[in-house]
Amino acid sequence: MTSRFVPRQRLARESIEALLSTMSAGSKLPSEEQLAKQLGISRPTIRSALSALEQEGLIVRRHGVGTFASTPHTDMDASLQVLNSVADIVRNNGYTPAVTDVHITSVSLPTAVCDALLLPTASPGFRVVRTVTADGQPAVFLVDYLPETIGKISVDLSVFSDKMIAALAHLGVFILYARTHLSIQRSTAEAAEALNIATGDPVLYLQQVAYTTDHTPAIYSIGYHREGVITYTLTRYADVSERAEP
């Protein structure tokens, strides 16, 4: 049974890939039922092939809307061991970065942010949003939260243009390291609009807290990375205690 199923799935995949090669980015594919009739292949096999293509970023499936040819992505790589700005990551990969749609607002910091930055509930601060593009294509939507003061230094974001760490260094606040959590999340409406994707589309989600040289939590950051644009690498070392004795 398996020997018959695998070739049919391969045929379905190759047929859909051939169809995609004739379509422009964003074009809508026929429905599963239509593809099954056109190719003479069962819907479960079509569905399986589409799932594989979605995982590889070749198509985008939107519940209740349809399946679409994906936009070609700029493929970049970055190390999690280095605390670089997204613009620097774009530049280091040979693309031209730009920071657009910068908005700075005064807010009462959300409870989760106050907890992470060790601040009293509803402390005053700033919310900074912007979109980083690579060769004109939206790559990452960033949201930073900062308190009004870090240590004894008042935060003046009139010096901010594109790099938060550099802007704080100009004020005398020096970031030493950050603790970062990565996961796959669904895009919010705000992030989707910035990245030119649909609300609910999967994104690489980075949530991190950056600390100063005296270990004071200073910036709470959220990054929505458009799927397939930037990948992060991490060097892992073997546990020497588990090596076999010679």
Side-chain angles (χ1 to χ4, degrees):
M1 183 172 181
T2 301
S3 62
R4 289 197 301 271
F5 175 76
V6 174
R8 298 296 286 177
Q9 187 178 37
R10 185 179 300 126
L11 174 61
R13 179 192 173 94
E14 291 175 352
S15 299
I16 297 170
E17 286 181 328
L19 176 62
L20 288 170
S21 69
T22 68
M23 302 173 66
S24 58
S27 298
K28 187 175 182 179
L29 277 72
S31 67
E32 288 182 4
E33 182 178 3
Q34 290 170 328
L35 286 171
K37 290 180 178 179
Q38 290 176 18
L39 302 177
I41 298 173
S42 68
R43 285 188 65 178
T45 303
I46 293 293
R47 187 176 302 117
S48 179
L50 289 172
S51 295
L53 292 170
E54 181 183 26
Q55 291 174 8
E56 295 174 24
L58 297 177
I59 60 172
V60 175
R61 306 176 78 185
R62 298 172 183 165
H63 181 69
V65 179
T67 302
F68 301 83
S70 64
T71 302
H73 292 307
T74 304
D75 188 18
M76 289 175 278
D77 183 64
S79 172
L80 281 174
Q81 296 165 297
V82 181
L83 189 57
N84 277 338
S85 70
V86 176
D88 283 338
I89 292 172
V90 172
R91 186 178 295 106
N92 292 342
N93 277 272
Y95 302 97
T96 301
V99 179
T100 65
D101 299 321
V102 178
H103 299 285
I104 302 173
T105 55
S106 296
V107 298
S108 292
L109 297 175
T111 299
V113 174
C114 291
D115 290 345
L117 298 182
L118 305 180
L119 298 170
T121 301
S123 290
F126 303 97
R127 184 179 191 263
V128 183
V129 302
R130 66 269 194 204
T131 303
V132 181
T133 64
D135 287 351
Q137 296 297 316
V140 183
F141 177 67
L142 297 171
V143 182
D144 285 342
Y145 290 96
L146 302 91
E148 284 188 342
T149 60
I150 299 174
K152 297 181 179 180
I153 298 176
S154 296
V155 175
D156 177 9
L157 293 179
S158 63
V159 299
F160 176 77
S161 58
D162 58 351
K163 298 179 182 179
M164 186 59 71
I165 291 178
L168 292 182
H170 182 81
L171 298 175
V173 177
F174 301 99
I175 299 300
L176 180 62
Y177 64 96
R179 299 187 184 278
T180 305
H181 300 275
L182 286 83
S183 61
I184 301 297
Q185 301 281 351
R186 296 291 180 180
S187 176
T188 63
E190 182 183 29
E193 182 178 0
L195 296 176
N196 194 26
I197 59 178
T199 301
D201 277 0
V203 291
L204 178 62
Y205 180 87
L206 270 71
Q207 180 272 315
Q208 74 177 20
V209 176
Y211 295 80
T212 65
T213 51
D214 64 356
H215 309 292
T216 299
I219 314 170
Y220 182 99
S221 301
I222 299 170
Y224 298 86
H225 294 59
R226 190 170 176 177
E227 186 182 20
V229 176
I230 298 178
T231 59
Y232 288 89
T233 59
L234 179 66
T235 301
R236 305 174 69 196
Y237 296 91
D239 184 350
V240 295
S241 65
E242 297 198 6
R243 294 179 183 172
E245 292 292 333

